[in-house]
Amino acid sequence: MHFDLLIKGGDVVDPGGNRSGKLDVAIKRNRIAAVDADIPAQSAFRVVDARGQYVTPGLVDLHTHVYHGATYWGIHADPVAARSGVTTWLDVGSAGGYNLPGFREFIARPSTARIYALLNISSIGLTAPTFELANLDYCDVDLCCRLIDLNRDIVLGVKARIDRNTTRGTGIAPLQRAREAADRCELPVMVHIGWGPPTLAEVMRYMKPGDILTHCFTGGDMRIIDQGRLRDEARRAWDSGVIMDIGHGAGSFSFETAEALMDQGYRPDVISSDIHQLSILGPMFDLPTCLSKFMLLGMSFAETVQAATARPAQVLGLQDEVGTLRLGALADVALFRIEEGEFTFYDIHMNARRGKELVRNTLTIVGGRELPVTVDGLRQPWIELSEAQQALTERGHTPAALAARPGCRC
Ligand SMILES: [Zn+2]
């Protein structure tokens, strides 16, 4: 036998490897060993029938919170990985200096999904829902850099959430410290925006090419549009190489902002979920649901896959290992069906749009092994559904319920 596992008969979509079409994908040990038409079934110990499905690299989610049990927002990554196709998870800022050792020991090491982190400039990370930057004593640049240097295999940058609640009066100072730490460690910084102060203009002054602006399609007053037009400071940053990342979450994706920008030809660099204890309950739900929203906004499935595989992998400098089905890459693979029908999608303001396609994961493989589908981790006792979320659940607006509707082609 040449191969361990053969994914046969599917439609490959691999923007990072520049390949698409009816191709079979063969895995040996934990690596992609062949991508070709009509690889014989007899050449592998096991064959997965992928007919009628899309075969993509495992998704790379650039904005997640997976430090469960020790932070306000954290969810369990593995159960969601198994049902969403997300094989590489970047936890952005759940851990700060003082709880990064715990993140390594209890989250990154035991997880089957690949887990990386951006270290919060606040040494307490996201233990609580917000205010982590309100005490500048927690924004310790030396501590941040020391912990990064000891954990460079998993820490790929610095995170700062900059909005009126996270900073609560410290203004732009936490971002200045995040900038200093990132420069010293020669890593990018990811900045979250929402409702100011500070203003977007103040934030942009501290961002450099290769940095990431997350929540880039927020409807908050730090949004990157002004009366429907991309703001000058955002345009300059984007043109210079700042990465625009969606980070849908529970408070950061507005159809109005998205439509204004996409009508003018702008596409986000990266589509990420900002999945956490609250957003997992809808209307975000999961990364495939986010991809479906961008398809209804006009992107092709392949374009959304690019923005959730090759592009984020490249942003993290992991493009030779993940986010592609190139020969020799890690054997992280996701299978999807695109259900056809009439689906209603909501942004975080509960504005609705109708879509005709729903992306639904059917199988997830990490390092050559299929992930078993299990139940999600527990909802924490401090999480309460908003009225809008409650209504969504009662109406059956979950990805599973949507996909089970009559009219789908599968
Ligand atoms: Zn987040």
Side-chain angles (χ1 to χ4, degrees):
M1 291 286 174
H2 280 311
F3 307 118
D4 298 335
L5 183 67
L6 177 63
I7 303 161
K8 199 163 171 49
D11 227 312
V12 165
V13 177
D14 177 24
N18 234 329
R19 248 199 275 229
S20 63
K22 294 272 177 224
L23 294 165
D24 301 337
V25 178
I27 293 168
K28 189 161 178 73
R29 303 200 65 174
N30 63 339
R31 301 274 168 180
I32 303 292
V35 179
D36 223 327
D38 300 319
I39 299 175
Q42 309 87 292
S43 64
F45 287 100
R46 246 174 63 63
V47 178
V48 169
D49 182 359
R51 280 174 298 176
Q53 297 173 75
Y54 289 98
V55 180
T56 77
L59 304 185
V60 179
D61 195 338
L62 199 68
H63 189 148
T64 72
H65 297 278
V66 296
Y67 199 171
H68 60 86
T71 62
Y72 181 92
W73 304 100
I75 58 150
H76 289 72
D78 279 350
V80 182
R83 63 171 173 81
S84 69
V86 178
T87 53
T88 300
W89 297 63
L90 185 69
D91 181 288
V92 298
S94 297
Y98 292 133
N99 44 21
L100 183 68
F103 180 85
R104 168 183 279 285
E105 183 171 351
F106 306 123
I107 305 296
R109 197 168 58 188
S111 295
T112 304
R114 301 181 199 284
I115 312 266
Y116 294 93
L118 302 185
L119 192 63
N120 204 311
I121 186 61
S122 170
S123 57
I124 60 169
L126 300 179
T127 310
T130 186
F131 307 134
E132 74 274 9
L133 303 176
N135 181 346
L136 284 177
D137 290 334
Y138 290 150
C139 302
D140 183 334
V141 175
D142 288 338
L143 178 78
C144 183
C145 292
R146 205 174 321 144
L147 268 293
I148 286 176
D149 283 342
L150 289 169
N151 295 276
R152 281 185 176 267
D153 57 330
I154 58 168
V155 179
L156 306 179
V158 177
K159 174 79 186 292
R161 300 197 305 171
I162 303 296
D163 66 43
R164 77 164 70 123
N165 283 331
T166 55
T167 58
R168 203 180 238 191
T170 54
I172 208 72
L175 179 53
Q176 290 170 328
R177 296 198 184 182
R179 172 82 274 153
E180 191 187 335
D183 285 348
R184 240 202 255 172
C185 297
E186 298 183 19
L187 290 173
V189 61
M190 175 188 273
V191 182
H192 132 141
I193 53 169
W195 295 89
T199 65
L200 181 74
E202 285 175 283
V203 164
M204 285 307 191
R205 244 172 261 147
Y206 295 93
M207 298 198 70
K208 294 182 177 175
D211 289 338
I212 304 153
L213 188 79
T214 193
H215 307 321
C216 67
F217 285 7
T218 177
D221 60 15
M222 297 171 82
R223 64 185 171 270
I224 63 173
I225 56 167
D226 182 21
Q227 297 182 0
R229 310 285 305 170
L230 183 63
R231 293 193 200 200
D232 287 343
E233 59 267 35
R235 185 197 313 270
R236 279 195 298 273
W238 205 340
D239 287 347
S240 78
V242 168
I243 309 300
M244 293 290 175
D245 168 54
I246 290 300
H248 183 308
S252 307
F253 175 71
S254 150
F255 274 129
E256 205 184 309
T257 302
E259 284 160 352
L261 287 163
M262 292 181 71
D263 285 351
Q264 292 165 58
Y266 296 104
R267 300 278 179 277
D269 292 301
V270 176
I271 302 173
S272 67
S273 68
D274 190 11
I275 193 166
H276 54 60
Q277 279 280 328
L278 202 55
S279 64
I280 195 173
L281 302 170
M284 192 292 289
F285 293 118
D286 56 22
L287 191 53
T289 308
C290 296
L291 302 189
S292 310
K293 290 181 188 180
F294 280 89
M295 287 167 72
L296 86 82
L297 288 166
M299 286 172 74
S300 68
F301 178 59
E303 286 171 328
T304 67
V305 169
Q306 149 96 3
T309 56
R311 192 74 172 100
Q314 181 195 35
V315 168
L316 297 174
L318 300 174
Q319 67 275 8
D320 295 331
E321 294 282 89
V322 303
T324 177
L325 299 176
R326 274 197 300 268
L327 299 196
L330 289 165
D332 296 355
V333 186
L335 269 62
F336 294 98
R337 278 187 201 284
I338 298 184
E339 319 281 0
E340 299 196 342
E342 291 285 329
F343 308 108
T344 308
F345 296 96
Y346 297 88
D347 67 7
I348 65 97
H349 307 288
M350 297 305 286
N351 291 318
R353 297 290 185 274
R354 303 288 282 173
K356 295 197 178 314
E357 291 161 308
L358 181 74
V359 180
R360 191 182 187 194
N361 174 241
T362 52
L363 185 70
T364 304
I365 294 169
V366 175
R369 287 184 63 222
E370 296 164 49
L371 293 192
V373 175
T374 58
V375 290
D376 277 11
L378 287 179
R379 190 202 301 179
Q380 298 293 4
W382 51 80
I383 293 297
E384 303 216 351
L385 284 177
S386 68
E387 265 176 47
Q389 281 177 313
Q390 210 130 18
L392 263 189
T393 317
E394 280 158 20
R395 286 201 299 264
H397 275 284
T398 63
L402 283 171
R405 279 190 182 176
C408 88
R409 233 185 13 173
C410 51

